[in-house]
Amino acid sequence: MASFDRDFAVRHAEAFAELVRRLGLDYFAIDCAETPQGELFLFEADVSMIVHALDPEELYPYKKPQMAKLFSAFEGFLRARAG
């Protein structure tokens, strides 16, 4: 997750764009991984996933910065819709 924006997200940008197109939703969350062959493996898509930054930082040092970006983006989404 530490290099998600410049690595994982870039490799799977086409698949992510297709998810947006097919789902047709303004907001949704996915849980996914990458197969040993480099393919995106999607195992959950939902509009009500619990996303949090409560895990101990010593176990998941990469998570808190990524969650801060997600929370900020979601707040921006809400502000845009409210305005």
Side-chain angles (χ1 to χ4, degrees):
M1 284 182 71
S3 61
F4 179 85
D5 296 338
R6 57 187 187 281
D7 189 24
F8 190 90
V10 173
R11 283 196 310 278
H12 300 294
E14 189 175 320
F16 294 148
E18 188 63 16
L19 280 168
V20 171
R21 188 185 74 73
R22 288 186 186 206
L23 293 174
L25 299 171
D26 290 331
Y27 174 82
F28 64 92
I30 64 170
D31 208 346
C32 61
E34 192 172 65
T35 68
Q37 296 78 25
E39 297 172 312
L40 184 68
F41 179 69
L42 175 68
F43 48 88
E44 187 175 6
D46 200 333
V47 295
S48 62
M49 291 181 114
I50 297 172
V51 180
H52 63 86
L54 302 174
D55 295 310
E57 285 188 64
E58 56 274 1
L59 289 176
Y60 304 100
Y62 53 82
K63 188 172 181 178
K64 194 169 187 175
Q66 293 295 335
M67 293 300 99
K69 287 194 286 187
L70 184 141
F71 297 152
S72 178
F74 186 71
E75 288 173 8
F77 166 79
L78 293 175
R79 282 191 187 95
R81 294 293 187 257

